[in-house]
Amino acid sequence: MRRFFALVLLGLLSHSVLAEAINEHKNIERAVLDYIESQHQSKPELMERGLDKKLAKRTYWESKEGSEYIMETDFDTMIWVAENYNKEGDKFPSSPMVDIKILDIDNRAASVKLTVDEWIDYMHLYKNENDDWKIINVLWQYHDATRHSSKQ
């Protein structure tokens, strides 16, 4: 009889752990979707919900003179991007490709790869004191690396 109760208890605990893992995946994915959907739909409130105020978004870039540097974008700029970049609805395909791969989750930290039509974002998220997953770091590049230039 003890074995039966132990198996039932183990089953219940396993179900609870699995449900929590599924919930964490959904919450991480929601933060990433907020980031990309805010740009597609010009909804800065989504961007604000998905990002940490100390966001650091970076890529490598070639200046007009030919030297390479790291271009940085912050939280406020990304809110502006969400509000203004696609205001006319002409910056993305009508059915944009969005692929989210959660690479790792460990307690309150996660790594994600977001692949969209023209670029990829490698993201770090953390779960804040309110149990909200927030994007704090983004390293991005175009699929066509030659586009990383101000010479064009």
Side-chain angles (χ1 to χ4, degrees), residues 73-99:
T73 307
D74 63 10
F75 175 87
D76 292 329
T77 304
M78 289 308 297
I79 300 302
W80 182 92
V81 166
E83 187 172 5
N84 296 288
Y85 178 69
N86 195 35
K87 213 174 217 175
E88 303 303 318
D90 59 353
K91 302 295 185 193
F92 298 99
S94 58
S95 296
M97 189 273 291
V98 175
D99 181 45

Side-chain angles (χ1 to χ4, degrees), residues 35 41 49 54 63 73 96 99 114 125 135 144:
Y35 168 85
Q41 302 168 16
R49 184 172 67 185
K54 294 191 178 197
S63 71
T73 307
D99 181 45
L114 169 66
L125 294 85
I135 300 166
D144 176 2

Side-chain angles (χ1 to χ4, degrees), residues 12 36-37 52 57 59 67 88 94 118 143 150 152:
L12 290 173
I36 193 61
E37 289 176 354
D52 185 81
K57 181 177 176 178
T59 194
S67 61
E88 303 303 318
S94 58
E118 295 186 355
H143 297 300
S150 296
Q152 298 179 19

Side-chain angles (χ1 to χ4, degrees), residues 9-34:
L9 182 60
L10 182 61
L12 290 173
L13 288 174
S14 296
H15 178 69
S16 175
V17 168
L18 180 60
E20 180 63 25
I22 290 170
N23 192 45
E24 293 293 21
H25 272 77
K26 285 181 181 178
N27 291 337
I28 290 166
E29 188 174 271
R30 181 71 261 160
V32 174
L33 285 170
D34 284 348

